[in-house]
Amino acid sequence: MEAGLLDVRIWRGGDEGAFASYRVPARENQTVLDVVTEVQRCFEPSLAYRFSCRVGVCGSCAMTVNGAPRWTCRTHVKRVADDGALTIEPLRHLPLVKDLVSDVETFFDKWTQVGVFEGTATRAEPPAAVAPTSRERAAADAAIQCINCAVCYAACDVVGWDHDYLGPAALNRAWTLVNDVRVADRHGALERAMGEGGCHSCHSHGACMEHCPVGLSPTASIAGLKRTAFWSLLKGRAA
Amino acid sequence: MSERHLYALQRMTALVMAPLVLVHLILIVYAVQGGLTAAEILERTQGSAGWALFYGLFVLSAAIHAPIGLRNVMREWTPLKGRPLDLTMLAFALLLIVLGLRAVVAVVGGGG
């Protein structure tokens, strides 16, 4: 590496594309997203990438950085650069649109496939009184802070092998619905999570948990779904 | 049969097989160490209801357990899915039962 410069390789084009190399000045407190932005502004105006909030809330800037899926806006270059070298690619397991932009439609389709929040109460009723210390609320709280960045989806090997697999994020979402006492059809959420391509397809490799930028454990949520499915079967309930 | 039924069956048959595998392995070591001949082994097993039950249960558990695991592997690694895959695995389970029980009969049957 030349002093003060980063060797950056960025994927350009579609599936048949190739890497392009850039020399980007190394700066203090520089994030990977800063590097991509600098390349786009200074060297490659046609470079396509996706970002929005830049502070780790919106979940739109995830890319593959030196082989691992990461949220680029909160990933400091000095933490991941390999002797000043960065290789930046789009997220795995999603169709590529162009450059660093993946099509996340399947990811969100699977997310909604497990169910969306539909409560029993109306706006006219007072808020439900849910004890934060209850077992179910604690389980839902542990999984609720997902930012939908698709890092877990890209990290999961099973998603790569089995295209019908719902993936860690959707199943993690299902676990929050199953444990939310305000949800009208909790059995339905469990039923959808344990269908074909559901929680039982998980190998418990833990890659989702390892890579989740906000420190969630979809692995634990999926294990919870399997456990709930197992005991409800033994107790003779439909779901 | 739903995914959760298959999952539960696979786990429960694993529970059944865990001690059976251990006894089976110890038995092999014992028979080999003791220098028993095939004839001596058959002498002990033929007509034994205990060994018939032990290995019969082993065969049935394995015949349920293995095709469920293989089904997952096949679904991930081959284009075979859905009903054709289920029927293939059912055939595999039946094959294991037939071959396994045939072996059990050969060890515990006859003689006397």
Side-chain angles (χ1 to χ4, degrees), chain A:
Chain A
M1 181 190 81
E2 201 174 312
L5 284 177
L6 298 168
D7 288 321
V8 183
R9 293 166 74 230
I10 294 182
W11 185 261
R12 296 301 317 275
D15 291 331
E16 303 299 315
F19 282 105
S21 296
Y22 307 92
R23 288 295 185 74
V24 181
R27 302 176 194 282
E28 273 300 303
N29 296 323
Q30 188 178 27
T31 66
V32 174
L33 185 62
D34 291 336
V35 170
V36 176
T37 300
E38 187 152 356
V39 169
Q40 197 257 351
R41 294 206 177 152
C42 301
F43 310 112
E44 202 77 77
S46 65
L47 176 67
Y49 67 112
R50 189 188 278 129
F51 74 97
S52 180
C53 76
R54 298 171 297 140
V55 289
V57 173
C58 74
S60 54
C61 69
M63 300 168 199
T64 307
V65 184
N66 282 1
R70 294 179 182 279
W71 54 352
T72 55
C73 71
R74 296 284 298 270
T75 301
H76 279 260
V77 170
K78 61 181 165 215
R79 209 156 51 83
V80 292
D82 181 12
D83 195 22
L86 279 179
T87 299
I88 308 172
E89 301 161 80
L91 283 182
R92 277 189 286 256
H93 307 331
L94 290 162
L96 180 55
V97 178
K98 176 182 183 265
D99 301 344
L100 299 172
V101 179
S102 300
D103 181 355
V104 286
E105 192 175 355
T106 12
F107 172 73
F108 283 105
D109 280 350
K110 288 178 178 178
W111 172 272
T112 49
Q113 205 177 314
V114 297
V116 292
F117 182 90
E118 278 181 42
T120 48
T122 65
R123 282 178 188 281
E125 290 167 64
V130 181
T133 51
S134 67
R135 189 183 54 80
E136 286 173 313
R137 194 59 238 171
D141 280 347
I144 201 77
Q145 297 288 357
C146 173
I147 58 170
N148 299 357
C149 62
V151 161
C152 59
Y153 193 81
C156 175
D157 283 339
V158 183
V159 171
W161 300 326
D162 181 357
H163 298 294
D164 296 329
Y165 178 46
L166 289 169
L171 291 169
N172 182 69
R173 174 60 179 155
W175 180 236
T176 64
L177 293 173
V178 167
N179 282 290
D180 191 337
V181 293
R182 301 165 306 158
V183 169
D185 186 16
R186 294 161 70 195
H187 285 340
L190 180 61
E191 195 82 57
R192 287 187 291 274
M194 63 191 192
E196 189 152 342
C199 61
H200 295 117
S201 297
C202 170
H203 287 230
S204 309
H205 285 166
C208 52
M209 175 181 71
E210 180 70 23
H211 290 89
C212 176
V214 290
L216 302 184
S217 175
T219 311
S221 299
I222 295 168
L225 287 169
K226 286 178 180 172
R227 212 164 42 239
T228 309
F230 183 77
W231 288 114
S232 70
L233 180 71
L234 290 196
K235 288 173 188 164
R237 284 209 299 267

Side-chain angles (χ1 to χ4, degrees), chain A residues 158 161-162 164 194-197 200-201 203 226 228-230 232-234 237-239, chain B residues 2-9 11-12 15 71-73 75-77 81-82 85-86:
Chain A
V158 183
W161 300 326
D162 181 357
D164 296 329
M194 63 191 192
E196 189 152 342
H200 295 117
S201 297
H203 287 230
K226 286 178 180 172
T228 309
F230 183 77
S232 70
L233 180 71
L234 290 196
R237 284 209 299 267
Chain B
S2 75
E3 295 296 318
R4 73 165 174 164
H5 282 97
L6 293 174
Y7 177 85
L9 269 177
R11 263 60 188 175
M12 290 191 291
L15 264 178
R71 178 176 172 271
N72 291 338
V73 175
R75 202 171 51 192
E76 284 172 10
W77 291 93
K81 291 188 196 312
L85 174 60
D86 289 343

Side-chain angles (χ1 to χ4, degrees), chain B residues 11-81:
Chain B
R11 263 60 188 175
M12 290 191 291
T13 48
L15 264 178
V16 171
M17 282 193 294
L20 301 187
V21 169
L22 282 177
V23 172
H24 179 62
L25 290 177
I26 292 167
L27 192 69
I28 291 171
V29 173
Y30 169 78
V32 171
Q33 294 288 325
L36 289 175
T37 63
E40 284 167 332
I41 292 170
L42 283 176
E43 203 174 283
R44 287 163 165 81
T45 56
Q46 276 174 345
S48 160
W51 286 122
L53 193 68
F54 180 91
Y55 280 110
L57 186 64
F58 205 155
V59 165
L60 290 180
S61 299
I64 294 170
H65 186 89
I68 299 173
L70 189 62
R71 178 176 172 271
N72 291 338
V73 175
M74 299 285 275
R75 202 171 51 192
E76 284 172 10
W77 291 93
T78 71
L80 204 57
K81 291 188 196 312

